Every structure is written in structure tokens, then in C-alpha cells.
Short mmCIF file of all heavy atoms in Angstrom, two decimals:
data_model
loop_
_atom_site.label_atom_id
_atom_site.label_comp_id
_atom_site.label_asym_id
_atom_site.label_seq_id
_atom_site.Cartn_x
_atom_site.Cartn_y
_atom_site.Cartn_z
N CYS B 47 -11.03 -12.40 -16.71
CA CYS B 47 -10.58 -11.27 -15.94
C CYS B 47 -11.74 -10.31 -15.66
O CYS B 47 -12.50 -10.13 -16.57
CB CYS B 47 -9.47 -10.45 -16.86
SG CYS B 47 -8.88 -9.00 -16.06
N VAL B 48 -11.79 -9.79 -14.46
CA VAL B 48 -12.91 -8.88 -14.11
C VAL B 48 -12.42 -7.53 -13.63
O VAL B 48 -13.20 -6.72 -13.10
CB VAL B 48 -13.80 -9.57 -13.03
CG1 VAL B 48 -14.52 -10.75 -13.58
CG2 VAL B 48 -13.06 -9.92 -11.77
N GLY B 49 -11.16 -7.22 -13.88
CA GLY B 49 -10.61 -5.90 -13.41
C GLY B 49 -9.25 -6.01 -12.89
O GLY B 49 -8.45 -6.90 -13.26
N ALA B 50 -8.96 -5.11 -11.90
CA ALA B 50 -7.55 -5.10 -11.34
C ALA B 50 -7.55 -4.50 -9.93
O ALA B 50 -8.40 -3.67 -9.59
CB ALA B 50 -6.64 -4.29 -12.27
N TYR B 51 -6.63 -4.94 -9.13
CA TYR B 51 -6.24 -4.25 -7.88
C TYR B 51 -5.31 -3.04 -8.40
O TYR B 51 -4.33 -3.29 -9.11
CB TYR B 51 -5.46 -5.09 -6.98
CG TYR B 51 -6.22 -6.08 -6.21
CD1 TYR B 51 -5.80 -7.43 -6.08
CD2 TYR B 51 -7.37 -5.80 -5.46
CE1 TYR B 51 -6.47 -8.38 -5.36
CE2 TYR B 51 -8.06 -6.72 -4.74
CZ TYR B 51 -7.61 -7.98 -4.64
OH TYR B 51 -8.27 -8.97 -3.95
N VAL B 52 -5.64 -1.87 -7.91
CA VAL B 52 -4.84 -0.75 -8.32
C VAL B 52 -4.44 0.09 -7.07
O VAL B 52 -5.28 0.45 -6.24
CB VAL B 52 -5.61 0.21 -9.30
CG1 VAL B 52 -4.84 1.49 -9.58
CG2 VAL B 52 -5.96 -0.50 -10.59
N PHE B 53 -3.11 0.31 -6.88
CA PHE B 53 -2.54 1.12 -5.75
C PHE B 53 -2.51 2.59 -6.16
O PHE B 53 -1.92 2.96 -7.08
CB PHE B 53 -1.15 0.62 -5.51
CG PHE B 53 -0.45 1.43 -4.44
CD1 PHE B 53 -0.94 1.46 -3.15
CD2 PHE B 53 0.77 2.07 -4.76
CE1 PHE B 53 -0.29 2.18 -2.13
CE2 PHE B 53 1.40 2.81 -3.75
CZ PHE B 53 0.87 2.85 -2.44
N LEU B 54 -3.30 3.39 -5.36
CA LEU B 54 -3.28 4.84 -5.47
C LEU B 54 -2.17 5.36 -4.69
O LEU B 54 -2.23 5.45 -3.48
CB LEU B 54 -4.66 5.43 -5.11
CG LEU B 54 -5.92 4.76 -5.74
CD1 LEU B 54 -7.15 5.48 -5.28
CD2 LEU B 54 -5.78 4.86 -7.26
N GLN B 55 -1.13 5.83 -5.37
CA GLN B 55 0.08 6.18 -4.65
C GLN B 55 -0.07 7.34 -3.74
O GLN B 55 0.50 7.31 -2.58
CB GLN B 55 1.19 6.58 -5.74
CG GLN B 55 1.59 5.41 -6.63
CD GLN B 55 2.42 5.90 -7.79
OE1 GLN B 55 3.13 6.94 -7.75
NE2 GLN B 55 2.44 5.06 -8.84
N ASP B 56 -0.88 8.37 -4.18
CA ASP B 56 -1.03 9.59 -3.28
C ASP B 56 -1.76 9.31 -1.99
O ASP B 56 -1.49 9.89 -0.96
CB ASP B 56 -1.71 10.70 -4.10
CG ASP B 56 -0.92 11.15 -5.26
OD1 ASP B 56 0.36 10.91 -5.27
OD2 ASP B 56 -1.50 11.69 -6.18
N LYS B 57 -2.71 8.38 -2.09
CA LYS B 57 -3.58 8.06 -0.86
C LYS B 57 -3.04 6.85 -0.09
O LYS B 57 -3.36 6.64 1.06
CB LYS B 57 -5.00 7.74 -1.28
CG LYS B 57 -5.69 8.88 -1.97
CD LYS B 57 -7.09 8.49 -2.32
CE LYS B 57 -7.84 9.68 -3.00
NZ LYS B 57 -9.21 9.23 -3.50
N GLY B 58 -2.08 6.03 -0.76
CA GLY B 58 -1.61 4.86 0.03
C GLY B 58 -2.60 3.72 0.13
O GLY B 58 -2.49 2.92 1.01
N VAL B 59 -3.62 3.76 -0.78
CA VAL B 59 -4.66 2.70 -0.63
C VAL B 59 -4.81 1.86 -1.89
O VAL B 59 -4.37 2.38 -2.96
CB VAL B 59 -6.04 3.30 -0.26
CG1 VAL B 59 -5.95 4.03 1.09
CG2 VAL B 59 -6.51 4.24 -1.40
N VAL B 60 -5.37 0.69 -1.74
CA VAL B 60 -5.63 -0.15 -2.98
C VAL B 60 -7.08 -0.11 -3.29
O VAL B 60 -7.95 -0.38 -2.43
CB VAL B 60 -5.17 -1.60 -2.71
CG1 VAL B 60 -5.56 -2.50 -3.82
CG2 VAL B 60 -3.70 -1.60 -2.43
N GLU B 61 -7.41 0.15 -4.54
CA GLU B 61 -8.79 0.11 -5.03
C GLU B 61 -9.02 -1.15 -5.80
O GLU B 61 -8.12 -1.53 -6.60
CB GLU B 61 -9.08 1.32 -5.93
CG GLU B 61 -9.11 2.61 -5.14
CD GLU B 61 -10.43 3.38 -5.26
OE1 GLU B 61 -11.23 3.00 -6.14
OE2 GLU B 61 -10.68 4.35 -4.52
N THR B 62 -10.21 -1.73 -5.67
CA THR B 62 -10.68 -2.85 -6.42
C THR B 62 -11.46 -2.26 -7.55
O THR B 62 -12.59 -1.86 -7.44
CB THR B 62 -11.45 -3.82 -5.64
OG1 THR B 62 -10.66 -4.26 -4.56
CG2 THR B 62 -11.87 -5.00 -6.53
N LEU B 63 -10.90 -2.26 -8.84
CA LEU B 63 -11.55 -1.68 -9.90
C LEU B 63 -12.09 -2.83 -10.84
O LEU B 63 -11.32 -3.57 -11.40
CB LEU B 63 -10.58 -0.80 -10.81
CG LEU B 63 -10.05 0.44 -10.07
CD1 LEU B 63 -9.17 1.30 -11.03
CD2 LEU B 63 -11.20 1.29 -9.47
N LEU B 64 -13.43 -2.94 -10.89
CA LEU B 64 -14.12 -3.96 -11.70
C LEU B 64 -14.35 -3.39 -13.09
O LEU B 64 -14.60 -2.21 -13.28
CB LEU B 64 -15.38 -4.37 -11.05
CG LEU B 64 -15.21 -4.95 -9.64
CD1 LEU B 64 -16.57 -5.34 -9.05
CD2 LEU B 64 -14.30 -6.24 -9.67
N ALA B 65 -14.30 -4.27 -14.13
CA ALA B 65 -14.50 -3.86 -15.52
C ALA B 65 -15.09 -4.99 -16.34
O ALA B 65 -14.75 -6.25 -16.11
CB ALA B 65 -13.10 -3.49 -16.05
N ARG B 66 -15.91 -4.63 -17.26
CA ARG B 66 -16.45 -5.56 -18.22
C ARG B 66 -15.40 -6.07 -19.16
O ARG B 66 -15.26 -7.18 -19.56
CB ARG B 66 -17.53 -4.93 -19.06
CG ARG B 66 -18.85 -4.60 -18.19
CD ARG B 66 -19.86 -3.89 -19.09
NE ARG B 66 -21.01 -3.51 -18.24
CZ ARG B 66 -21.06 -2.41 -17.48
NH1 ARG B 66 -20.09 -1.57 -17.48
NH2 ARG B 66 -22.13 -2.19 -16.75
N GLU B 67 -14.43 -5.14 -19.45
CA GLU B 67 -13.26 -5.53 -20.29
C GLU B 67 -12.00 -4.77 -19.75
O GLU B 67 -12.17 -3.64 -19.29
CB GLU B 67 -13.45 -5.11 -21.80
CG GLU B 67 -14.48 -5.92 -22.57
CD GLU B 67 -13.88 -7.13 -23.11
OE1 GLU B 67 -12.65 -7.32 -23.10
OE2 GLU B 67 -14.64 -7.95 -23.65
N THR B 68 -10.94 -5.37 -19.74
CA THR B 68 -9.64 -4.81 -19.29
C THR B 68 -8.60 -4.85 -20.40
O THR B 68 -8.54 -5.94 -20.99
CB THR B 68 -9.13 -5.58 -18.06
OG1 THR B 68 -10.11 -5.49 -16.98
CG2 THR B 68 -7.83 -4.94 -17.53
N ILE B 69 -7.94 -3.79 -20.70
CA ILE B 69 -6.84 -3.83 -21.70
C ILE B 69 -5.52 -3.56 -21.02
O ILE B 69 -5.38 -2.48 -20.30
CB ILE B 69 -7.13 -2.71 -22.77
CG1 ILE B 69 -8.50 -2.93 -23.44
CG2 ILE B 69 -5.93 -2.70 -23.79
CD1 ILE B 69 -8.77 -1.89 -24.52
N LEU B 70 -4.60 -4.42 -21.22
CA LEU B 70 -3.22 -4.12 -20.81
C LEU B 70 -2.52 -3.33 -21.91
O LEU B 70 -2.52 -3.71 -23.04
CB LEU B 70 -2.45 -5.40 -20.63
CG LEU B 70 -2.64 -6.27 -19.40
CD1 LEU B 70 -1.96 -7.59 -19.50
CD2 LEU B 70 -2.14 -5.49 -18.14
N ALA B 71 -2.00 -2.15 -21.46
CA ALA B 71 -1.32 -1.26 -22.48
C ALA B 71 -0.10 -0.72 -21.71
O ALA B 71 0.16 0.52 -21.70
CB ALA B 71 -2.14 -0.21 -23.01
N THR B 72 0.64 -1.62 -21.09
CA THR B 72 1.80 -1.26 -20.11
C THR B 72 3.13 -1.04 -20.76
O THR B 72 4.12 -0.72 -20.06
CB THR B 72 1.82 -2.25 -19.03
OG1 THR B 72 1.99 -3.54 -19.67
CG2 THR B 72 0.60 -2.33 -18.16
N GLY B 73 3.25 -1.19 -22.06
CA GLY B 73 4.52 -0.98 -22.71
C GLY B 73 5.46 -2.15 -22.58
O GLY B 73 5.09 -3.29 -22.40
N GLY B 74 6.76 -1.79 -22.63
CA GLY B 74 7.79 -2.81 -22.72
C GLY B 74 8.49 -3.25 -21.44
O GLY B 74 7.99 -3.01 -20.35
N LEU B 75 9.72 -3.81 -21.59
CA LEU B 75 10.43 -4.35 -20.41
C LEU B 75 11.87 -4.08 -20.43
O LEU B 75 12.71 -4.72 -19.85
CB LEU B 75 10.13 -5.90 -20.38
CG LEU B 75 10.18 -6.68 -21.68
CD1 LEU B 75 11.63 -6.88 -22.14
CD2 LEU B 75 9.52 -8.09 -21.40
N GLY B 76 12.25 -2.94 -21.15
CA GLY B 76 13.66 -2.63 -21.28
C GLY B 76 14.43 -2.45 -19.97
O GLY B 76 15.61 -2.61 -19.88
N GLN B 77 13.69 -2.03 -18.93
CA GLN B 77 14.36 -1.75 -17.67
C GLN B 77 14.90 -2.97 -16.97
O GLN B 77 15.60 -2.91 -15.98
CB GLN B 77 13.43 -1.04 -16.75
CG GLN B 77 13.17 0.42 -17.10
CD GLN B 77 14.36 1.29 -16.99
OE1 GLN B 77 15.36 1.03 -16.35
NE2 GLN B 77 14.41 2.41 -17.82
N LEU B 78 14.57 -4.17 -17.54
CA LEU B 78 15.09 -5.36 -17.06
C LEU B 78 16.63 -5.60 -17.46
O LEU B 78 17.36 -6.45 -16.85
CB LEU B 78 14.45 -6.64 -17.61
CG LEU B 78 12.90 -6.74 -17.34
CD1 LEU B 78 12.35 -7.98 -17.95
CD2 LEU B 78 12.54 -6.63 -15.92
#
């Protein structure tokens, strides 16, 4: 993994964010 595509809601654009390390900390899935 080298980063993420990130959608900036206020600008309506997608940024390509590169990273040496990426951590997922997105929480749960209760809304399913």
C-alpha cells in the first residue's frame, strides 16, 4: 500500500495522498 485516493467533499476533487505507512482506523460497520 502506498497511500489512498481521498475525496475532498468541500472542493469536489480527489487527491492522491501518498504515504510511507497507512493506517486504517475507520471504526465499525453497524450501519449495515
Side-chain angles (χ1 to χ4, degrees):
C47 176
V48 294
Y51 284 132
V52 176
F53 174 62
L54 306 182
Q55 298 169 23
D56 298 338
K57 297 179 180 178
V59 299
V60 175
E61 290 238 348
T62 301
L63 298 183
L64 300 178
R66 294 176 182 86
E67 290 274 353
T68 301
I69 302 181
L70 281 171
T72 53
L75 43 72
Q77 288 296 334
L78 303 182

